Amino acid sequence: MAHADYTVTVNKSAALVFNFLVDGLNNPKWRDAVIDISLKSGVKGTVGAEYSQTLKGPGGRRIAGDYKLTAVQPNSHIGFVVTTGPARPTGDFSLKESTGKTSITFSLDYQTKGLAKLMEPMITKTMKNEVACLDKLKQVLEGTS
């Protein structure tokens, strides 16, 4: 299984961080790979909401990266599954607030099968780059970007 996780601490409340993250329309503000995104179905920020997303792929190709929210626990957890694209990982954001600061852990998991197992190191590297986008999220939320 390919896995990546990354943690940052943001000088903002868990409620502010959660509200920003659960609204997928904010993704282009902190994830450089996102070209465009829209709410495809459901209610923004609720379990079952589906977002249609186009990402920058290898060699500048545009690839689909639609996803669906699978878990939403206010101010503490957001789970999702990627539903289109070459890789379809599951992911989650875990938030913990302490004294006005929020620790955010972004995790991705992808169960490789068949020939994809040979690509697992490359998939893991791509996932590590994705979760490291939390550094830009911190800059955006703290107004230092």
CSV table of all heavy atoms in Angstrom, one decimal, residues 103-132:
chain,number,residue,atom,x,y,z
A,103,SER,N,-3.4,21.7,15.0
A,103,SER,CA,-2.5,20.8,14.3
A,103,SER,C,-3.4,20.0,13.3
A,103,SER,O,-4.4,19.5,13.6
A,103,SER,CB,-2.0,19.8,15.3
A,103,SER,OG,-1.2,18.8,14.7
A,104,ILE,N,-2.9,20.0,12.0
A,104,ILE,CA,-3.6,19.4,10.9
A,104,ILE,C,-2.7,18.2,10.4
A,104,ILE,O,-1.5,18.5,10.0
A,104,ILE,CB,-3.8,20.3,9.7
A,104,ILE,CG1,-4.4,21.6,10.2
A,104,ILE,CG2,-4.7,19.7,8.7
A,104,ILE,CD1,-4.2,22.8,9.2
A,105,THR,N,-3.2,17.0,10.3
A,105,THR,CA,-2.5,15.9,9.7
A,105,THR,C,-3.3,15.5,8.4
A,105,THR,O,-4.5,15.3,8.5
A,105,THR,CB,-2.4,14.7,10.6
A,105,THR,OG1,-1.6,15.1,11.8
A,105,THR,CG2,-1.7,13.6,9.9
A,106,PHE,N,-2.7,15.5,7.3
A,106,PHE,CA,-3.3,15.1,6.0
A,106,PHE,C,-2.7,13.8,5.7
A,106,PHE,O,-1.4,13.7,5.6
A,106,PHE,CB,-2.9,16.2,5.0
A,106,PHE,CG,-3.5,16.0,3.6
A,106,PHE,CD1,-4.4,15.0,3.3
A,106,PHE,CD2,-3.0,16.8,2.6
A,106,PHE,CE1,-4.9,14.9,2.0
A,106,PHE,CE2,-3.5,16.7,1.3
A,106,PHE,CZ,-4.4,15.7,1.0
A,107,SER,N,-3.5,12.8,5.5
A,107,SER,CA,-3.1,11.4,5.2
A,107,SER,C,-3.7,10.9,3.9
A,107,SER,O,-4.9,11.2,3.6
A,107,SER,CB,-3.4,10.4,6.3
A,107,SER,OG,-2.9,10.8,7.5
A,108,LEU,N,-2.9,10.2,3.1
A,108,LEU,CA,-3.4,9.6,1.9
A,108,LEU,C,-3.0,8.1,1.9
A,108,LEU,O,-1.8,7.8,2.2
A,108,LEU,CB,-2.8,10.2,0.6
A,108,LEU,CG,-3.3,11.6,0.3
A,108,LEU,CD1,-2.5,12.2,-0.8
A,108,LEU,CD2,-4.8,11.6,-0.1
A,109,ASP,N,-3.9,7.2,1.4
A,109,ASP,CA,-3.6,5.8,1.3
A,109,ASP,C,-4.1,5.3,0.0
A,109,ASP,O,-5.2,5.7,-0.5
A,109,ASP,CB,-4.3,5.0,2.4
A,109,ASP,CG,-3.7,5.2,3.8
A,109,ASP,OD1,-2.5,4.9,3.9
A,109,ASP,OD2,-4.3,5.8,4.6
A,110,TYR,N,-3.3,4.5,-0.7
A,110,TYR,CA,-3.7,3.9,-2.0
A,110,TYR,C,-3.3,2.4,-2.0
A,110,TYR,O,-2.1,2.1,-1.9
A,110,TYR,CB,-3.1,4.7,-3.1
A,110,TYR,CG,-3.4,4.2,-4.5
A,110,TYR,CD1,-4.7,4.1,-4.9
A,110,TYR,CD2,-2.4,3.7,-5.3
A,110,TYR,CE1,-5.0,3.6,-6.2
A,110,TYR,CE2,-2.7,3.2,-6.6
A,110,TYR,CZ,-4.0,3.2,-7.0
A,110,TYR,OH,-4.3,2.7,-8.3
A,111,GLN,N,-4.3,1.6,-2.2
A,111,GLN,CA,-4.1,0.1,-2.3
A,111,GLN,C,-3.7,-0.2,-3.7
A,111,GLN,O,-4.5,-0.2,-4.6
A,111,GLN,CB,-5.3,-0.6,-1.9
A,111,GLN,CG,-5.1,-2.1,-1.8
A,111,GLN,CD,-4.1,-2.5,-0.7
A,111,GLN,OE1,-4.1,-2.1,0.4
A,111,GLN,NE2,-3.1,-3.3,-1.1
A,112,THR,N,-2.4,-0.4,-3.9
A,112,THR,CA,-1.9,-0.8,-5.3
A,112,THR,C,-2.2,-2.2,-5.5
A,112,THR,O,-2.2,-3.1,-4.6
A,112,THR,CB,-0.4,-0.5,-5.4
A,112,THR,OG1,0.3,-1.2,-4.4
A,112,THR,CG2,-0.1,1.0,-5.4
A,113,LYS,N,-2.6,-2.5,-6.8
A,113,LYS,CA,-2.9,-3.9,-7.2
A,113,LYS,C,-2.2,-4.1,-8.6
A,113,LYS,O,-2.0,-3.2,-9.4
A,113,LYS,CB,-4.4,-4.0,-7.4
A,113,LYS,CG,-5.2,-3.8,-6.1
A,113,LYS,CD,-6.7,-3.8,-6.4
A,113,LYS,CE,-7.4,-3.4,-5.1
A,113,LYS,NZ,-8.8,-3.1,-5.4
A,114,GLY,N,-1.9,-5.4,-8.8
A,114,GLY,CA,-1.4,-5.8,-10.1
A,114,GLY,C,-0.1,-5.1,-10.5
A,114,GLY,O,0.8,-4.9,-9.6
A,115,LEU,N,-0.1,-4.6,-11.7
A,115,LEU,CA,1.1,-3.9,-12.2
A,115,LEU,C,1.4,-2.6,-11.5
A,115,LEU,O,2.5,-2.1,-11.4
A,115,LEU,CB,1.0,-3.6,-13.7
A,115,LEU,CG,1.1,-4.9,-14.6
A,115,LEU,CD1,0.9,-4.5,-16.0
A,115,LEU,CD2,2.4,-5.6,-14.4
A,116,ALA,N,0.3,-2.0,-10.9
A,116,ALA,CA,0.5,-0.7,-10.1
A,116,ALA,C,1.5,-0.9,-9.0
A,116,ALA,O,2.1,0.1,-8.5
A,116,ALA,CB,-0.9,-0.2,-9.6
A,117,LYS,N,1.6,-2.1,-8.5
A,117,LYS,CA,2.5,-2.4,-7.3
A,117,LYS,C,4.0,-2.0,-7.8
A,117,LYS,O,4.7,-1.5,-6.9
A,117,LYS,CB,2.5,-3.8,-6.9
A,117,LYS,CG,1.3,-4.1,-6.1
A,117,LYS,CD,1.4,-5.5,-5.4
A,117,LYS,CE,0.2,-5.9,-4.6
A,117,LYS,NZ,0.3,-5.3,-3.3
A,118,LEU,N,4.3,-2.1,-9.0
A,118,LEU,CA,5.6,-1.8,-9.5
A,118,LEU,C,5.8,-0.2,-9.5
A,118,LEU,O,6.9,0.2,-9.4
A,118,LEU,CB,5.8,-2.3,-11.0
A,118,LEU,CG,5.8,-3.8,-11.1
A,118,LEU,CD1,5.8,-4.2,-12.6
A,118,LEU,CD2,6.9,-4.5,-10.4
A,119,MET,N,4.7,0.5,-9.5
A,119,MET,CA,4.8,1.9,-9.5
A,119,MET,C,4.6,2.5,-8.1
A,119,MET,O,4.6,3.7,-8.0
A,119,MET,CB,3.7,2.5,-10.5
A,119,MET,CG,3.6,1.9,-11.8
A,119,MET,SD,4.0,2.9,-13.2
A,119,MET,CE,3.5,4.5,-12.8
A,120,GLU,N,4.5,1.7,-7.1
A,120,GLU,CA,4.3,2.2,-5.8
A,120,GLU,C,5.2,3.2,-5.3
A,120,GLU,O,4.8,4.2,-4.7
A,120,GLU,CB,4.2,1.0,-4.8
A,120,GLU,CG,3.5,1.3,-3.5
A,120,GLU,CD,3.2,0.1,-2.7
A,120,GLU,OE1,2.4,-0.7,-3.1
A,120,GLU,OE2,3.7,0.0,-1.6
A,121,PRO,N,6.6,3.1,-5.5
A,121,PRO,CA,7.5,4.2,-5.1
A,121,PRO,C,7.1,5.5,-5.7
A,121,PRO,O,7.2,6.5,-5.1
A,121,PRO,CB,8.8,3.7,-5.5
A,121,PRO,CG,8.7,2.2,-5.6
A,121,PRO,CD,7.3,1.9,-6.1
A,122,MET,N,6.8,5.5,-7.0
A,122,MET,CA,6.4,6.8,-7.7
A,122,MET,C,5.1,7.3,-7.2
A,122,MET,O,5.0,8.5,-6.9
A,122,MET,CB,6.4,6.6,-9.2
A,122,MET,CG,6.1,7.9,-10.0
A,122,MET,SD,6.1,7.6,-11.7
A,122,MET,CE,4.5,6.9,-11.9
A,123,ILE,N,4.2,6.4,-6.9
A,123,ILE,CA,2.9,6.9,-6.4
A,123,ILE,C,3.0,7.5,-5.0
A,123,ILE,O,2.5,8.5,-4.7
A,123,ILE,CB,1.9,5.7,-6.4
A,123,ILE,CG1,1.5,5.3,-7.8
A,123,ILE,CG2,0.6,6.0,-5.6
A,123,ILE,CD1,0.8,3.9,-7.9
A,124,THR,N,3.9,6.8,-4.2
A,124,THR,CA,4.1,7.3,-2.8
A,124,THR,C,4.8,8.7,-2.9
A,124,THR,O,4.4,9.6,-2.1
A,124,THR,CB,5.0,6.3,-2.0
A,124,THR,OG1,4.3,5.1,-1.9
A,124,THR,CG2,5.4,6.8,-0.7
A,125,LYS,N,5.7,8.9,-3.8
A,125,LYS,CA,6.4,10.2,-3.9
A,125,LYS,C,5.4,11.3,-4.3
A,125,LYS,O,5.4,12.4,-3.7
A,125,LYS,CB,7.5,10.1,-5.0
A,125,LYS,CG,8.2,11.4,-5.2
A,125,LYS,CD,9.3,11.3,-6.2
A,125,LYS,CE,10.0,12.6,-6.4
A,125,LYS,NZ,10.9,12.7,-7.5
A,126,THR,N,4.5,11.0,-5.2
A,126,THR,CA,3.5,11.9,-5.6
A,126,THR,C,2.5,12.3,-4.5
A,126,THR,O,2.2,13.4,-4.2
A,126,THR,CB,2.6,11.4,-6.8
A,126,THR,OG1,3.5,11.1,-7.9
A,126,THR,CG2,1.5,12.3,-7.2
A,127,MET,N,2.2,11.2,-3.7
A,127,MET,CA,1.3,11.4,-2.5
A,127,MET,C,2.0,12.3,-1.5
A,127,MET,O,1.4,13.1,-0.8
A,127,MET,CB,0.8,10.1,-2.0
A,127,MET,CG,-0.2,9.4,-2.9
A,127,MET,SD,-0.8,7.8,-2.5
A,127,MET,CE,-0.6,7.6,-0.8
A,128,LYS,N,3.3,12.1,-1.3
A,128,LYS,CA,4.1,12.9,-0.3
A,128,LYS,C,4.1,14.3,-0.7
A,128,LYS,O,4.0,15.2,0.1
A,128,LYS,CB,5.5,12.3,-0.1
A,128,LYS,CG,5.5,11.1,0.7
A,128,LYS,CD,7.0,10.6,0.9
A,128,LYS,CE,7.0,9.3,1.7
A,128,LYS,NZ,8.3,8.9,2.0
A,129,ASN,N,4.2,14.6,-2.0
A,129,ASN,CA,4.2,16.0,-2.5
A,129,ASN,C,2.8,16.6,-2.2
A,129,ASN,O,2.7,17.8,-1.9
A,129,ASN,CB,4.5,16.0,-4.0
A,129,ASN,CG,6.0,15.7,-4.3
A,129,ASN,OD1,6.8,15.9,-3.4
A,129,ASN,ND2,6.3,15.3,-5.5
A,130,GLU,N,1.8,15.8,-2.4
A,130,GLU,CA,0.4,16.3,-2.2
A,130,GLU,C,0.2,16.7,-0.8
A,130,GLU,O,-0.3,17.8,-0.5
A,130,GLU,CB,-0.6,15.3,-2.7
A,130,GLU,CG,-2.0,15.7,-2.6
A,130,GLU,CD,-2.4,16.9,-3.4
A,130,GLU,OE1,-1.8,17.2,-4.4
A,130,GLU,OE2,-3.4,17.6,-3.0
A,131,VAL,N,0.5,15.8,0.2
A,131,VAL,CA,0.3,16.1,1.6
A,131,VAL,C,1.1,17.3,2.1
A,131,VAL,O,0.7,18.0,3.0
A,131,VAL,CB,0.4,14.9,2.5
A,131,VAL,CG1,-0.7,13.8,2.1
A,131,VAL,CG2,1.8,14.3,2.5
A,132,ALA,N,2.3,17.4,1.5
A,132,ALA,CA,3.2,18.5,1.8
A,132,ALA,C,2.6,19.9,1.5
A,132,ALA,O,3.1,20.9,1.9
A,132,ALA,CB,4.6,18.4,1.2
